[in-house]
Amino acid sequence: MRPLTHFARGVLIGRTGSANVFDPYWAMIHLFEAGSRFHFDFGDLIANSHSPHPGFWSMEQPGIAEALIEAIEHQALPKLRAVTTLDDYLAFVSRHMFRHKLFDWPSVKIIVDVAQGDLAAARRLRDAHRPEWDDDPSLAERIRDKRHRLRALCALLDADDRPGLAALLHDWEAITVRNFRIEKFWTPTPFPLELPPPG
């Protein structure tokens, strides 16, 4: 859905163990973590009201396309359209059953705090968790890359380099957008970090 700025909203079709069965979800995700996969954490399964089994979607069901369109229009789009700002997105996630994957995970929350311009909160997380983000050659490359990015973020926090922090988050957002192949829909915009304080 557009506009596509610091978070993405969409409907995703998940695979199952059967070639004829699929799982549609609506979901949202913030884009400024250099992500590689649009996960379903902050969303929900789209139910099939035309099936005796509401979670079951089969290509063999008569009228399956019409049923999916109806379900998307009634179950997914109202929720997705209600979220139009980064604050809306964070408020939505704060009420979601998987809220802990953002608000209770320091390696995610510190990035969101920086994007929001709450550098005091980000520094508290840096001070409490920085040793956990040291390099460890025994870890998978994906985890080492994440730790490397966190250390770069912490170094800019150390230097109180707001322009550098903003540039870093813009770079990570661009990486995610390329990985998701949604460049043509993306509108780069300033983070709250870059805006003058209200009032």
Side-chain angles (χ1 to χ4, degrees), residues 106 122-133:
R123 289 188 181 100
R124 287 193 295 272
L125 288 171
R126 174 202 61 190
D127 295 344
H129 299 280
R130 188 180 221 160
E132 301 166 22
W133 302 329

Side-chain angles (χ1 to χ4, degrees), residues 106-179:
S107 62
V108 178
K109 183 66 164 48
I110 190 172
I111 299 169
V112 173
D113 285 343
V114 169
Q116 287 290 87
D118 191 348
L119 300 190
R123 289 188 181 100
R124 287 193 295 272
L125 288 171
R126 174 202 61 190
D127 295 344
H129 299 280
R130 188 180 221 160
E132 301 166 22
W133 302 329
D134 286 343
D135 191 24
D136 182 345
S138 69
L139 296 173
E141 184 177 356
R142 174 182 57 84
I143 299 172
R144 295 183 69 196
D145 287 347
K146 169 82 173 188
R147 289 187 175 192
H148 175 77
R149 291 193 297 273
L150 289 167
R151 292 195 303 275
L153 188 83
C154 288
L156 292 167
L157 280 171
D158 292 345
D160 196 25
D161 184 353
R162 294 178 76 97
L165 287 164
L168 189 67
L169 295 189
H170 283 296
D171 287 346
W172 293 353
E173 191 170 86
I175 290 168
T176 306
V177 166
R178 285 196 301 272
N179 287 341

Side-chain angles (χ1 to χ4, degrees), residues 24-169:
Y25 292 81
W26 61 268
M28 307 179 208
I29 185 173
H30 56 279
L31 300 173
F32 43 91
E33 273 196 74
S36 59
R37 184 174 64 91
F38 195 140
H39 58 70
F40 303 149
D41 290 341
F42 305 136
D44 205 356
L45 180 69
I46 297 174
N48 184 354
S49 60
H50 294 272
S51 168
H53 309 288
F56 187 73
W57 292 89
S58 171
M59 296 297 293
E60 297 173 355
Q61 176 185 321
I64 189 66
E66 293 78 7
L68 180 59
I69 290 169
E70 176 187 304
I72 289 171
E73 288 178 344
H74 289 90
Q75 297 175 45
L77 294 184
K79 294 181 175 68
L80 295 174
R81 286 175 174 148
V83 176
T84 60
T85 68
L86 185 56
D87 283 339
D88 291 341
Y89 167 78
L90 295 173
F92 166 79
V93 173
S94 74
R95 299 186 299 270
H96 195 272
M97 65 183 294
F98 293 126
R99 71 178 303 281
H100 63 280
K101 293 190 175 186
L102 190 160
F103 290 97
D104 297 339
W105 288 7
S107 62
V108 178
K109 183 66 164 48
I110 190 172
I111 299 169
V112 173
D113 285 343
V114 169
Q116 287 290 87
D118 191 348
L119 300 190
R123 289 188 181 100
R124 287 193 295 272
L125 288 171
R126 174 202 61 190
D127 295 344
H129 299 280
R130 188 180 221 160
E132 301 166 22
W133 302 329
D134 286 343
D135 191 24
D136 182 345
S138 69
L139 296 173
E141 184 177 356
R142 174 182 57 84
I143 299 172
R144 295 183 69 196
D145 287 347
K146 169 82 173 188
R147 289 187 175 192
H148 175 77
R149 291 193 297 273
L150 289 167
R151 292 195 303 275
L153 188 83
C154 288
L156 292 167
L157 280 171
D158 292 345
D160 196 25
D161 184 353
R162 294 178 76 97
L165 287 164
L168 189 67
L169 295 189

